């Protein structure tokens, strides 16, 4: 089971801050495609991805127990 | 006052908390940058802001910025705090303090810190105006995600 | 807290006093520069410092620097305080706060302020070391006036 | 009567923070020469001069009632 976190407008659009996905050994990119259709998140493609609190590449493989966060363009400061 | 030098808080920020953490015998200069909530941006009135963070990762990224500064400027101590939640006009959103032996480095490192925060730290700002709200999409405030009905232009901007 | 924005004090400085004076609705950025007493300068240990000012003129010159900043950067608010008397290691000697709508100006104006203070404000620093004392003669700390017996080299430096 | 202020090492060398000079309509430069010899202040030449709290030129004429301050190279900040 992979935990997935949404923030900012992704959180508002999906209506969720956290979802779980039954998957193991999938690429971040696959996971993204699956979530984009499930939750109707047209902006998901603009988000960066963090795996276990570190920025990752689209081809990173995530396993059960990992925490994947979708990071829309940041606007702190 | 928090024991750590890089933290996210829901409470009002006292810049003195950052300053105290970096003052030390070898330092002759402390530069502090404070970002406050501005009422007008490009002529549009902000009522208040809402900040959200991916807290544990944001604190890690703030610490990473501190380490980058130490690599670049050597003898520097850094403390950074960012507030989340609802912030009113003039409230402090972020405070950075950098101490160095000499002043030029303190200015440069503090400037570096705020630019890096706007690039890599997972914190988001939602503008609340009289006629709507918007999660701001990048530091130039050119791109944004309208939470109501995006205009065609805004969609192209994405 | 003093009612004025430019002042000399014999009391410990709280940088928050300067910051509060410049925070306002139109400003999104506040840069603060703090000069503290450093223990070592070029390998020599300072025990403590003594600052003296020509107080009324110093306050006028600080205000002049604030006006110069407003001319150069437009929408800027400035507050500056300098402490005099005996200061221990890590004590704050000077605090500057500049608020502007955008951050680049706040950094530049704050930097300008500290450089101008070192040029035109009638304030003097006396170093107290283990082996003597010296009124420091300029901001580069190259020239100085030995209160004991000036060396030939020091006299040439004058 | 002109009031003259000394600061920093000038104050220590002269042993005075303030002196008064019976003069009227003299140039700052004349005043400086007179004080340099009276109080043995070899560094007076390096000092800038303020008349009534504003920096002045060496040929500025000062009158009775004016306050003249000798400003050694500053070292604040």
């Amino acid at each position: 089971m992979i935990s997935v976190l949404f923030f900012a407008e992704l959180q508002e659009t999906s209506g969720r801050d956290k979802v779980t996905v039954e998957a193991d050994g999938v690429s971040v990119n696959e996971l993204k495609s699956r979530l984009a259709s499930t939750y109707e998140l047209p902006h998901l493609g603009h988000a960066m991805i963090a795996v276990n609190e570190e920025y990752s590449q689209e081809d990173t493989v995530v396993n059960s127990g990992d925490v994947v966060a979708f990071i829309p363009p940041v606007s702190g400061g | 006052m928090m024991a750590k030098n890089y933290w996210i808080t829901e409470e009002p920020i006292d810049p003195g908390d950052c300053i105290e953490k970096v003052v030390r015998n070898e330092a002759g200069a402390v530069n502090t940058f404070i970002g406050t909530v501005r009422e007008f941006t490009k002529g549009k009135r902000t009522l208040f802001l809402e900040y959200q963070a991916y807290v544990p990762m944001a604190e890690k990224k703030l610490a990473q910025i501190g380490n980058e500064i130490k690599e670049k400027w050597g003898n520097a101590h850094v403390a950074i705090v960012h507030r989340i939640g609802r912030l009113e006009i003039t409230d402090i959103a972020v405070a950075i303090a950098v101490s160095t032996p000499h002043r030029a480095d303190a200015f440069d490192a503090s400037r570096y810190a705020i630019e890096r925060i706007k690039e890599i730290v997972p914190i988001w700002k939602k503008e609340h105006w009289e006629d709507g709200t918007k999660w701001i999409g990048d530091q130039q405030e050119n791109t944004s995600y309208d939470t109501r009905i995006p205009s065609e232009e805004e969609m192209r901007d994405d």
Side-chain angles (χ1 to χ4, degrees), chain A, chain B:
Chain A
M1 208 176 70
I2 295 162
S3 299
V4 175
L5 306 180
F6 294 129
F7 294 97
E9 93 285 353
L10 294 176
Q11 188 176 104
E12 285 193 357
T13 310
S14 68
R16 287 164 172 82
D17 59 355
K18 186 177 176 179
V19 299
T20 52
V21 178
E22 284 299 334
D24 189 60
V26 295
S27 76
V28 157
N29 207 29
E30 278 172 62
L31 193 66
K32 188 189 256 189
S33 304
R34 208 189 294 183
L35 290 160
S37 57
T38 312
Y39 298 104
E40 285 182 31
L41 290 166
H43 294 126
L44 202 59
H46 300 290
M48 295 188 73
I49 293 142
V51 176
N52 301 329
E53 303 174 5
E54 283 300 336
Y55 288 112
S56 298
Q57 304 302 316
E58 299 253 324
D59 58 359
T60 300
V61 173
V62 288
N63 296 301
S64 185
D66 284 341
V67 178
V68 176
F70 288 93
I71 314 278
V74 302
S75 53
Chain B
M1 196 161 115
M2 300 289 292
K4 48 192 173 181
N5 275 35
Y6 308 97
W7 75 107
I8 303 295
T9 182
E10 296 186 32
E11 304 300 318
I13 289 173
D14 175 357
D17 288 349
C18 285
I19 294 167
E20 278 174 35
K21 285 172 193 285
V22 301
V23 168
R24 59 203 162 99
N25 286 20
E26 311 102 84
V30 179
N31 191 276
T32 302
F33 178 79
I34 296 162
T36 56
V37 179
R38 195 175 50 220
E39 186 173 10
F40 287 94
T41 294
K42 292 174 188 161
K44 193 158 189 180
R45 181 194 297 268
T46 297
L47 299 179
F48 64 93
L49 294 183
E50 196 184 329
Y51 279 97
Q52 190 183 77
Y54 180 14
V55 175
M57 183 171 168
E59 292 187 341
K60 275 190 191 174
K61 291 291 141 189
L62 293 176
Q64 176 187 322
I65 292 168
N67 289 333
E68 288 173 3
I69 286 171
K70 284 169 202 177
E71 273 175 34
K72 282 175 180 284
W73 284 279
N75 192 347
H77 282 205
V78 184
I80 309 175
V81 55
H82 202 298
R83 185 173 169 192
I84 54 173
R86 178 179 165 140
L87 273 73
E88 309 298 330
I89 306 301
T90 77
D91 278 353
I92 297 175
V94 61
I96 298 161
V98 181
S99 72
T100 57
H102 300 282
R103 66 187 178 281
D105 287 351
F107 276 95
D108 292 346
S110 172
R111 182 70 194 268
Y112 177 84
I114 183 63
E115 301 303 332
R116 285 294 275 162
I117 287 169
K118 289 170 180 284
E119 282 171 8
I120 67 163
V121 181
I123 300 175
W124 302 271
K125 169 168 82 174
K126 188 181 188 179
E127 288 267 7
H128 287 256
W129 299 294
E130 281 165 357
D131 61 351
T133 65
K134 210 178 251 183
W135 283 103
I136 302 302
D138 69 17
Q139 74 273 27
Q140 283 84 38
E141 296 172 23
N142 296 328
T143 313
S144 54
Y145 302 92
D146 199 313
T147 56
R148 298 162 304 145
I149 307 147
S151 69
E152 287 217 337
E153 196 186 339
E154 280 164 348
M155 289 175 70
R156 275 202 304 278
D157 276 349
D158 289 357

